[in-house]
Amino acid sequence: MTEFDEYERRAWRGRAATYARSFALMCAYPAPALLDAAGVGAGHRVLDVGTGPGTVAALACARGAAVTAVDPEESMLDAARRNAPAADVRHGVLPRLDLGDGAFDAVTANFVLNHVGDPPAALAELRRVTRPGGRIAFTVWPYPLPLLQRLWGDVSDALGLPAPQQPLPRVAAEVNFSRTPDGLRGLMERVGLVDLGCQELAWTHEADPDDWWAAPASGMGSLGKVLVTLPPEGVAEARAHYERLTADHRTPAGRLALPTGALIASGTVPR
């Protein structure tokens, strides 16, 4: 476990309810295409890593797969057990899973590798638990970032705060990867996957403005890490910038409608 991993565990502790209110619907959008990329069908043994509230696991169960779902956060596991009652939901933390070699026909990880301190080690672990000929598929946010993902950075920039004296933990450069199709292929080649694919998705995500603000207000995401350090008047100023920056992206009903996107990478474990 790296310093980045430990920081991520603290940042997500007890966040399931806020996640469900804010980011969960956006992260759910690629789930059907993710399962397609992993080749998930009836009778397949599927592992969903970093299952969160169980969105991907529930969809895999609906396809007739035998699903195991793991997550490091207890509040997420509680939600996953409610949302995917047919799945075997367990505690599990990358890059070491208490699961057998080659135990699964397909493995999915929806927006997980962007939350681990050693992505190649995490992906190698997904390869270990996938049988030869089995498929692995995972999602990440792309770079350059879509408008929706840039929003919190834009709010932070508008606040004009000085750089923190103690920078937040980051993934070490030697194990990091570019959030581009070429970067994803390089990561998969590094752990020996073959028959590589990378699909780009783009869509407009709609959300209630208060629900979307709930995530950083509770300390989640890049802006949330800033807000928890501010006095109430600083948080109010950040909210005002948020309202200003999103004013041109409201539907007639007052909802946010912001463009976003994702990359779906997939590869096969060699026979």
Side-chain angles (χ1 to χ4, degrees):
M1 296 289 286
T2 68
E3 185 181 2
F4 181 86
D5 289 306
E6 293 171 354
Y7 178 80
E8 284 285 324
R9 298 289 75 75
R10 293 193 301 271
W12 284 97
R13 191 169 297 142
R15 303 293 192 196
T18 302
Y19 177 78
R21 181 184 176 189
S22 55
F23 296 157
L25 288 177
M26 175 184 64
C27 293
Y29 183 90
L34 177 68
L35 291 172
D36 290 343
V40 172
H44 291 169
R45 301 165 300 163
V46 175
L47 173 65
D48 184 39
V49 178
T51 194
T55 303
V56 175
L59 288 175
C61 288
R63 294 188 178 198
V67 180
T68 299
V70 300
D71 200 276
E73 168 50 40
E74 291 298 332
S75 67
M76 294 292 189
L77 292 174
D78 290 342
R81 291 184 181 107
R82 293 191 300 270
N83 295 327
D88 177 8
V89 179
R90 311 180 188 182
H91 183 268
V93 185
L94 287 171
R96 295 288 181 268
L97 300 175
D98 187 18
L99 298 164
D101 293 356
F104 299 95
D105 301 307
V107 174
T108 57
N110 196 32
F111 302 112
V112 173
L113 293 189
N114 44 306
H115 292 290
V116 299
D118 190 337
L123 188 56
E125 181 70 348
L126 302 190
R127 172 184 167 161
R128 181 187 69 79
V129 300
T130 308
R131 66 164 175 82
R135 194 85 175 151
I136 298 169
F138 61 94
T139 50
V140 298
W141 305 117
Y143 189 86
L145 291 172
L147 180 61
L148 183 59
Q149 276 68 30
R150 294 201 308 269
L151 175 60
W152 303 137
D154 291 343
V155 174
S156 295
D157 291 344
L159 285 169
L161 299 175
Q165 293 183 346
Q166 191 168 9
L168 297 174
R170 294 182 178 275
V171 176
E174 62 269 20
V175 295
N176 211 344
F177 64 98
S178 298
R179 272 60 170 174
T180 64
D182 285 345
L184 294 175
R185 291 189 184 95
L187 176 63
M188 291 188 287
E189 289 172 348
R190 184 169 176 174
V191 302
L193 298 180
V194 297
D195 188 20
L196 307 181
C198 188
Q199 178 182 358
E200 300 183 54
L201 297 182
W203 71 99
T204 297
H205 179 70
E206 286 196 18
D208 179 277
D210 289 336
D211 287 344
W212 200 244
W213 179 254
S218 71
M220 290 172 60
S222 58
L223 179 60
K225 296 173 178 66
V226 174
L227 294 186
V228 296
T229 69
L230 299 180
E233 56 271 24
V235 175
E237 182 184 356
R239 177 65 192 249
H241 286 303
Y242 165 73
E243 296 292 342
R244 175 179 59 80
L245 290 166
T246 59
D248 292 337
H249 300 279
R250 302 292 177 99
T251 70
R255 291 173 62 81
L256 291 183
L258 289 166
T260 187
L263 298 175
I264 301 177
S266 57
T268 299
V269 175
R271 295 184 184 276

